[in-house]
Amino acid sequence: QRRGRVLPAAVGALCRALPPRARPAPDTLRRARFDRPQASMNFWRLLYALLKQIRGAKWTESDAIDTQIRFVKSALWYHGYGRPELYWLPSDGSVGSRELLLAFSWLLHRISLLEQLLAWNRVKTGDETSVCMCEDDLLNSQKGTTEKAPEYGLEDRVDVRYLQWLNGKLRFQWQSLHAQHQEQCKLLHKIHLFTTGSHMDQLLGHLSVTETDLVRQPENYEQLLQLLESETMQLEAFLEWKQLEPVYWQWMETVLDNTAEEGNMCESQDVRVEKSGLPKVTSCCPWADRLTAQIDRLSRDLTTLHNQLHELVTHQKAVWCEKV
């Protein structure tokens, strides 16, 4: 009973700690716990927005739902999410809210989702610069450019001129990036030099780019204040979430238990159907048969490739022996 009273506070704190543009309603998580189809679409959009943000990519709400679902599945596969039931969900987003809740909770724990989002959406009021290593990379890339290509096999498949063009294009982009970084540092130094002695903090001594812009355009102060207030609310919700986090994971254990019980019921139904002499139906987990078939096909391909490589090595050794 006590956990039932604390659980709404934990779910509410979790939702408030998420970015405003991707903040779900607490009722969405409760519906997903019972695998309600009404929550599936909202969860696909939530995962799409969160995964886009932590990967630093742009996203819009107008993207097609099938595009969002493909991106979410590929991003979860990239991060190592291995529950196959999620990848067999339909591309229309009509079902699977409980599976999406499990994937969302896995991201919370596995990649520290909230911490990454708070760091990514942090309001930057000071100036930060990174150490540019472009010159060292260019010097290292120039070394070894005179290496000779292998004598056999490469010229039959790859055009060396195309590789040289790609290498030149990449070096040009590195040089452009390095020049832009130097220009940014020069402009930043000018602002710090011209505003020396203007800051209240004598240790800092100068104004940042944001502070200088506020001095020139005071009307932007309200917008910055709103951003800071929103970030403060997220941080307060994150602190509350860290205190109530064990309650959430106990609740997720019940979600997993319900999922396992429903899976056992499906298996028992399949067993009763087979014993009754009815026609054989498809398995409750069709991914297993397909995965087994893929593994067998890969094994056969690897065996064939091994035999081809063995023949190639034998032939190459004979050629070398003749040359010697």
Side-chain angles (χ1 to χ4, degrees):
Q1 293 177 354
R2 180 179 177 274
R3 188 182 67 183
R5 292 192 299 267
V6 179
L7 180 60
V11 175
L14 172 61
C15 295
R16 293 194 307 273
L18 294 173
R21 292 188 63 185
R23 186 172 296 164
D27 191 57
T28 303
L29 277 71
R30 301 189 189 99
R31 290 181 178 179
R33 183 250 190 274
F34 299 102
D35 203 16
R36 296 290 188 267
Q38 297 86 353
S40 299
M41 196 72 69
N42 295 332
F43 247 110
W44 281 119
R45 294 194 178 101
L46 170 65
L47 291 175
Y48 178 72
L50 297 180
L51 291 171
K52 276 283 187 177
Q53 287 195 26
I54 64 175
R55 294 175 69 88
K58 297 181 180 180
W59 63 280
T60 58
E61 297 180 357
S62 60
D63 293 339
I65 187 62
D66 57 341
T67 303
Q68 297 183 18
I69 291 175
R70 284 197 301 269
F71 174 81
V72 170
K73 289 182 179 180
S74 61
L76 287 172
W77 182 265
Y78 170 79
H79 287 291
Y81 187 71
R83 185 171 172 82
E85 287 80 358
L86 177 106
Y87 301 102
W88 292 107
L89 293 177
S91 59
D92 56 358
S94 57
V95 294
S97 57
R98 183 184 293 167
E99 290 295 333
L100 297 173
L101 175 61
L102 294 176
F104 170 72
S105 302
W106 182 86
L107 286 173
L108 284 178
H109 175 72
R110 184 62 180 270
I111 66 173
S112 302
L113 181 64
L114 284 181
E115 288 82 350
Q116 289 194 44
L117 291 171
L118 289 173
W120 183 262
N121 296 303
R122 183 171 59 89
V123 180
K124 297 178 176 62
T125 57
D127 295 331
E128 299 177 358
T129 57
S130 59
V131 179
C132 183
M133 305 296 293
C134 296
E135 290 182 344
D136 296 338
D137 293 338
L138 285 173
L139 292 176
N140 293 331
S141 65
Q142 291 174 358
K143 296 178 181 179
T145 54
T146 59
E147 294 182 359
K148 187 178 179 181
E151 183 178 356
Y152 299 101
L154 183 61
E155 66 275 4
D156 297 334
R157 291 173 294 177
V158 180
D159 190 352
V160 179
R161 294 172 297 179
Y162 177 69
L163 295 178
Q164 292 175 345
W165 176 78
L166 287 179
N167 185 32
K169 183 179 179 180
L170 184 60
R171 289 178 56 189
F172 175 75
Q173 292 178 349
W174 279 347
Q175 292 174 355
S176 301
L177 177 63
H178 180 60
Q180 293 175 6
H181 187 273
Q182 286 184 327
E183 186 67 21
Q184 180 186 8
C185 292
K186 291 178 181 179
L187 296 175
L188 198 62
H189 174 68
K190 287 183 179 180
I191 294 176
H192 293 173
L193 183 62
F194 293 154
T195 59
T196 301
S198 303
H199 203 281
M200 296 179 59
D201 189 356
Q202 298 300 325
L203 296 177
L204 188 59
H206 56 76
L207 300 179
S208 64
V209 174
T210 303
E211 293 167 340
T212 306
D213 183 66
L214 290 177
V215 172
R216 298 179 59 190
Q217 302 177 3
E219 62 273 9
N220 294 336
Y221 176 77
E222 294 294 334
Q223 182 181 3
L224 178 62
L225 183 60
Q226 292 176 1
L227 293 175
L228 291 174
E229 290 177 350
S230 176
E231 183 181 14
T232 302
M233 292 176 59
Q234 282 186 252
L235 293 174
E236 291 175 351
F238 177 74
L239 293 177
E240 183 181 357
W241 154 255
K242 296 304 290 184
Q243 295 177 354
L244 302 175
E245 187 177 4
V247 180
Y248 178 84
W249 295 118
Q250 292 176 4
W251 178 61
M252 287 305 303
E253 288 181 358
T254 62
V255 177
L256 281 175
D257 293 339
N258 293 339
T259 306
E261 290 177 1
E262 291 185 1
N264 294 332
M265 290 177 60
C266 293
E267 291 178 359
S268 61
Q269 290 177 0
D270 291 341
V271 171
R272 288 197 298 269
V273 169
E274 291 179 359
K275 289 183 178 180
S276 63
L278 295 176
K280 186 176 181 181
V281 297
T282 57
S283 175
C284 181
C285 299
W287 59 268
D289 297 333
R290 298 185 182 182
L291 186 61
T292 305
Q294 291 179 0
I295 292 175
D296 294 337
R297 187 176 67 254
L298 289 175
S299 300
R300 291 193 298 268
D301 294 343
L302 288 175
T303 303
T304 304
L305 181 61
H306 178 268
N307 296 333
Q308 292 177 355
L309 289 175
H310 181 70
E311 294 177 359
L312 182 61
V313 169
T314 304
H315 175 71
Q316 194 68 29
K317 285 183 177 179
V319 173
W320 287 343
C321 291
E322 291 179 1
K323 290 184 177 180
V324 171

